[in-house]
Amino acid sequence: MRRKVTKAIFPVAGLGTRFLPATKSVPKEIMTLVDRPLVQYAIDEAREAGIKEFIFVTSRGKGALEDYFDHAPVLEQELRKKGKDELLEVLKKTTMDSGAIAYVRQHKALGLGHAVWCARRLIADEPFAVILPDDVIAAETPCLKQMVEAYGETGGNMVAAMEVAPAQTSSYGVLDVKEDRGQVVLANGMVEKPKMEEAPSNLAVIGRYILEPSVLRNLQKMKQGTGGEIQLTDAIAEDITQGVPVSGFRFQGQRFDCGSKAGFLQATVAFALSRSDLRDDLLSFLHEVTSVDKAAQ
Ligand code: G1P
């Protein structure tokens, strides 16, 4: 019987420089896709996968995140008075039970591996999930839920995986494939951000992980890797050498890189188009602007 995955780590300490000036005062994770902040998509996905404890690795200037998950008594009272039950329901999803959420500070920007390691004391000897809120995945069955189900069969460490164009491998962790079983791929190793010529495959790691506690122990000993940072990829690869299997999981769904402006805009359009209250207006607007664009060419 596999142990249940009930804790998730959300690394949210990044400065979000790609979104300056907005991120000068607003944490990137609070930026909104349609009407929900990025982090809410991550939380909703985690909840649907059975996660009960939410651990945020933050940094200076992320106070708005803590407020976001807190109760808002004045606002709630006002909505109650006005009978806005629907909005009260919406707000319910943003709050957490006392003790279900924890914040740990990463004091120095030493990399994703280091951020995850900062949460080590909140993880006992149990598997845990890591969700990178920048990677937003639109899917019928939420990506982490798909993974939890597959993990029930495979165990070990599991990372979400997706084929990318060979020229893009230098933006991702990349799997060295040992055995391709279709949806699940067994890995021989993993490399962080390899150049196209050096990439072992074009199967890239996307920001969803189910990890064994041994990865946290590996992180303790990890030296700086690619970009001078302590890499999560390296600590997971280290597990392979110690006999813990690592599998890539080809998820069903569309992934948006909301760490980039283009990805954020694409996600905004895609999520808006999936909403019945916005779809028609947006479609006719898009139609209008794209035909003006074509005429100008
Ligand atoms: C991180 C990981 C990388 C992974 C990527 C997915 O990189 O280090 O292995 O492929 O997330 O989005 P980052 O995009 O934070 O540089």
Side-chain angles (χ1 to χ4, degrees), residues 121-138:
R121 294 212 166 82
L122 297 170
I123 306 284
D125 197 25
E126 62 196 317
F128 60 96
V130 176
I131 295 189
L132 308 186
D134 270 2
D135 281 331
V136 175
I137 301 170

Side-chain angles (χ1 to χ4, degrees), residues 112 132 135 171-173 192-193 205-207 209 231 233 255:
L112 176 62
L132 308 186
D135 281 331
S171 303
Y172 297 94
E192 181 67 10
K193 305 199 170 83
V205 176
I206 300 303
Y209 307 76
Q231 296 293 350
T233 301
R255 174 257 183 177

Side-chain angles (χ1 to χ4, degrees), residues 177-207:
V177 178
K178 178 176 167 194
E179 192 188 322
D180 194 334
R181 297 181 179 165
Q183 191 156 45
V184 171
V185 176
L186 279 186
N188 253 334
M190 282 166 75
V191 194
E192 181 67 10
K193 305 199 170 83
K195 289 194 204 118
M196 180 164 73
E197 313 79 68
E198 286 156 20
S201 76
N202 67 334
L203 197 56
V205 176
I206 300 303

Side-chain angles (χ1 to χ4, degrees), residues 143-180:
C143 180
L144 189 64
K145 186 167 189 214
Q146 296 175 35
M147 287 173 71
V148 165
E149 280 161 15
Y151 170 80
E153 301 283 314
T154 62
N157 293 303
M158 178 176 271
V159 299
M162 180 181 108
E163 260 83 21
V164 297
Q168 286 177 3
T169 55
S170 58
S171 303
Y172 297 94
V174 174
L175 292 167
D176 183 358
V177 178
K178 178 176 167 194
E179 192 188 322
D180 194 334

